């Protein structure tokens, strides 16, 4: 199988596979039940395709504990880029939550700790800086999932030397193109994209439409592949994390990280299909 494309994390030069897996809803499973679900196959598909990024949060129910079970099952901590978040108020509460997250996942450190939806950002960023110096986290980031918060997110990106920012971006929601994606390139901040399918609405709308005849030129056999390649066409994007608990969907998503890269012709053609 052709290996997945990788892009550099600007602050370090470390290469990161361009397709990962989000765990919202799909991984909200009791750890004891994980072996009887599709989740071991979902993660196996991610690894098989060359992906490494698993993104989670304490607000995703039981997802962190499920990831801990999966990392133990696959013996794959060293090959997994583990990203989670802090989502509470107050320094002490934040430290407790991050320690709890690491315990749930069975890890002593995480690759990326993000301040979820900018909640109590000014307090948590001090802890994250300290933990990075101690080696408990490797990268520091901030997230949001709605363009209504972009003014606030822009201020944070300008004020703090973040390693990562996570934001929503899709063919149906291109607000990030105006300021945040160019700013990320200027500030050398890696970008993780969430909601690439607009909470699933995009795929539901496209499901009954045939793929455009030119899709095969870019190695795409599904609408999900086309939509993800559209996002990856932007040079600011480092990784996209469509969420899924389906091994079939994980394999389809991972296909967007292989084959010919999207170019301007791809972008114009898909925009015409979407707006047509």
């Amino acid at each position: 199988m052709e290996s997945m494309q990788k892009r550099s994390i600007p602050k370090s030069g470390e290469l990161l596979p361009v397709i990962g897996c989000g765990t919202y809803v799909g991984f909200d499973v009791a750890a004891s039940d994980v072996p009887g679900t599709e989740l071991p196959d979902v993660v196996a598909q991610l690894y098989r395709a060359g992906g490494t990024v698993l993104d989670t949060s304490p607000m995703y129910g039981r997802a962190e504990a499920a990831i801990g079970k999966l990392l133990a099952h696959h013996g794959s901590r060293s090959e997994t880029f583990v990203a989670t978040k802090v989502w509470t108020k107050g320094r002490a509460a934040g430290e407790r939550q991050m320690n709890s997250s690491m315990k749930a996942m069975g890890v002593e450190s995480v690759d990326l700790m993000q301040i979820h939806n900018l909640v109590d950002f000014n307090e948590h960023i001090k802890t994250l800086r300290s933990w990075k110096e101690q080696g408990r986290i490797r990268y520091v980031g901030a997230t949001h999932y709605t363009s209504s918060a972009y003014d606030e997110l822009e201020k944070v990106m300008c004020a703090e030397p973040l390693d990562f920012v996570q934001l929503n971006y899709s063919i149906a929601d291109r607000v990030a193109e105006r300021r945040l994606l160019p700013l990320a390139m200027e500030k050398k901040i890696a970008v993780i994209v969430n909601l690439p399918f607009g909470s699933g609405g995009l795929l539901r709308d496209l499901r009954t439409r045939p793929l455009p005849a030119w899709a095969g030129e870019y190695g795409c056999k599904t609408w999900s592949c086309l939509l993800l390649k559209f996002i990856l066409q932007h040079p600011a994007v480092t990784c996209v994390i469509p969420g899924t608990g389906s091994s079939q969907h994980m394999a389809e998503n991972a296909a967007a990280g292989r084959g010919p890269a999207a170019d301007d012709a791809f972008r114009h053609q898909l925009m015409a299909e979407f707006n047509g």
Side-chain angles (χ1 to χ4, degrees), residues 73-89:
H73 172 82
H74 288 286
S76 56
R77 173 63 187 101
S78 62
E79 63 185 280
T80 307
F81 188 95
V82 177
T84 191
K85 307 174 183 79
V86 57
W87 185 63
T88 188
K89 292 185 178 181

Side-chain angles (χ1 to χ4, degrees), residues 1-195:
M1 179 185 292
E2 181 183 356
S3 61
M4 185 182 290
Q5 296 155 12
K6 297 180 180 181
R7 293 185 177 175
S8 295
I9 298 171
K11 293 285 174 63
S12 69
E14 178 183 352
L15 294 176
L16 201 64
V18 296
I19 301 294
C21 184
T23 61
Y24 180 59
V25 179
F27 281 58
D28 185 9
V29 174
S32 59
D33 293 337
V34 164
T37 70
E38 277 194 70
L39 294 182
D41 290 336
V42 171
V43 175
Q45 285 284 3
L46 176 69
Y47 295 150
R48 191 175 301 124
T52 63
V53 178
L54 285 174
D55 178 86
T56 190
S57 169
M59 76 172 288
Y60 297 169
R62 299 162 292 180
E64 288 179 324
I67 286 177
K69 187 75 170 183
L70 290 161
L71 293 176
H73 172 82
H74 288 286
S76 56
R77 173 63 187 101
S78 62
E79 63 185 280
T80 307
F81 188 95
V82 177
T84 191
K85 307 174 183 79
V86 57
W87 185 63
T88 188
K89 292 185 178 181
R91 180 169 185 170
E95 290 180 348
R96 286 194 299 271
Q97 188 177 74
M98 290 189 289
N99 281 319
S100 178
S101 293
M102 292 183 186
K103 182 177 180 180
M105 293 188 289
V107 300
E108 295 182 356
S109 64
V110 296
D111 297 287
L112 171 60
M113 183 65 74
Q114 303 155 101
I115 300 172
H116 202 165
N117 296 344
L118 303 176
V119 172
D120 209 0
F121 180 89
N122 291 331
E123 190 61 53
H124 295 317
I125 191 63
K126 293 179 283 189
T127 304
L128 266 58
R129 288 196 210 107
S130 175
W131 282 28
K132 183 178 180 181
E133 290 176 359
Q134 297 170 32
R136 299 200 66 191
I137 58 180
R138 295 203 301 130
Y139 296 106
V140 170
T143 81
H144 219 287
Y145 70 100
T146 173
S147 53
S148 64
Y150 279 2
D151 287 347
E152 186 181 1
L153 192 54
E154 181 180 355
K155 291 176 183 176
V156 164
M157 292 168 67
C158 289
E160 292 289 339
L162 297 175
D163 301 310
F164 278 81
V165 64
Q166 183 180 143
L167 49 78
N168 49 300
Y169 177 50
S170 71
I171 194 171
D173 183 2
R174 297 166 50 208
V175 180
E177 292 178 354
R178 299 175 191 167
R179 299 286 296 276
L180 295 192
L181 294 182
L183 180 61
M185 295 179 70
E186 176 188 335
K187 297 290 186 179
K188 300 186 183 305
I189 301 172
V191 175
I192 294 178
V193 170
N194 57 44
L195 298 180

Side-chain angles (χ1 to χ4, degrees), residues 237-259:
V237 175
T238 310
C239 178
V240 190
I241 50 165
T244 186
S246 161
S247 58
Q248 178 184 340
H249 291 166
M250 184 69 252
E252 292 173 354
N253 295 338
R258 302 189 298 270

